[in-house]
Amino acid sequence: MGPTRKPLQDFPITIVFTILLGILIPGCTQKNMNQETQKTAAETSAADPLSIHQKAIAVDMHVDTAQRLLDEHVDIQQQLSDGHFDAVRAKAGGLDAQFFSIWVEPQLFGGGGARAMKRADDQIAAVRALPEQHPETWVLATSAADIRRAAGEGKIAALMGLEGGYAIDEQIDNVKRYYDLGVRYMSPAWSVSTSWAGSSGDDVGATRGLNEFGKSVVREMNRLGMMVDVSHVSDPTFWDIVQTSTAPVVATHSACRAIADVPRNLTDDMIRALAKTGGVVNVIFYPEHLEPGWSQKKKEVDAEIATMVQQASEAEPGDAVHKKMARDRVRQREYLRRLPPVKVARIVDHIDHIVKLVGVDHVGIGSDFDGVQITTADLASVADLPNLTKELLRRGYSETDIDKILGGNMLRVMEQVQR
Ligand SMILES: [Zn+2]
């Protein structure tokens, strides 16, 4: 089902008709023209992208800013000169709710065990500190009702999702532990497979789905009301999740393999199966997952800049986390120089594709801001979010459709999962 289109093309015909009527019946022209002018003004304000954007409850399902809070001690109350996210730019971009990714890098912190758990706990503490220290800006939220309340008060709802199930340390009780700390979604694996769930990012994931423990984790998430996230999981894991989960399944930051053929993206069959659970695909804003051929070009650039990246890592005196940050800074600079720019229109191509496959009720947004080294050119930070609404309007999406895409669909899923 395609987006509903407004009959804007009727308008010039009405004007022509009014002028003709004025010539035929002198005296009525001016009045009718005034009415037309007023109507036009009303129509314009109704279709004003900014007012439509501001009215909608915008929910971004994924940013990696929690690691910046922890590793760089950034103050996101201020407008930062780097990165993609802070409270000032979030307000400017009309954002109402942000899911912060609680991401444990398994190579740096282990695929389980005390260090992985501590890394997750530290990020959770950093996110929870936002509303504690700045209640005028942030509200800690764990439900759709919390998000609606925060939006009504003009504040930003802060929510959390675990990216990769490393921190549950292969113990079922830890799912509830993280639920109790406020975590409301979890993806079983990031780019490294766990013993119980395959990842799309390594070789073992190609054949590994959920084992019995993995299925019990999904059932426990269903029981608690924690959303199951399929972003990053392998194809076999995806299918095991949709077959096991009794609640709607989400992809918090993924796109369509039919457009950009990378293992991280979803095939059309997967999108149909996910929609059948009542779930939502939240489209990522990262060029590598959006633009056909971009992934291959990035691999070539990675080879060209390998020495440069290595040198930056060696020159950084800090710990492993800071060395990774130094490598990413070089990548960020060089990708911008060497890779073709991708525009917000490409994000909407993916939204369009999902809408055509399964309708407008199963698509949302998951930027991955601060988790990627490069963004689309005209949606370079959260402040540019209205550009997405502009492009959706340009393509003929109605205000109701836009409300759903920006956050309404995810509010529905959260309500269903929490039931
Ligand atoms: Zn991710």
Side-chain angles (χ1 to χ4, degrees), residues 234-257:
S234 68
D235 290 10
T237 305
F238 172 92
W239 292 109
D240 284 344
I241 287 171
V242 293
Q243 275 150 26
T244 307
S245 179
T246 53
V249 170
V250 297
T252 61
H253 58 307
S254 292
C256 307
R257 224 181 276 180

Side-chain angles (χ1 to χ4, degrees), residues 69 77 123-135 138 140:
L69 294 172
Q77 293 305 110
Q123 289 176 70
I124 290 168
V127 173
R128 293 183 71 104
L130 294 173
E132 281 161 19
Q133 289 166 5
H134 301 284
W138 298 96
L140 185 73

Side-chain angles (χ1 to χ4, degrees), residues 62 64 101 103 163 190 231-232 253 264 284 368:
H62 199 96
D64 279 298
S101 165
W103 175 54
E163 180 164 29
W190 174 71
S231 288
H232 287 286
H253 58 307
R264 263 282 274 116
I284 190 169
D368 211 3

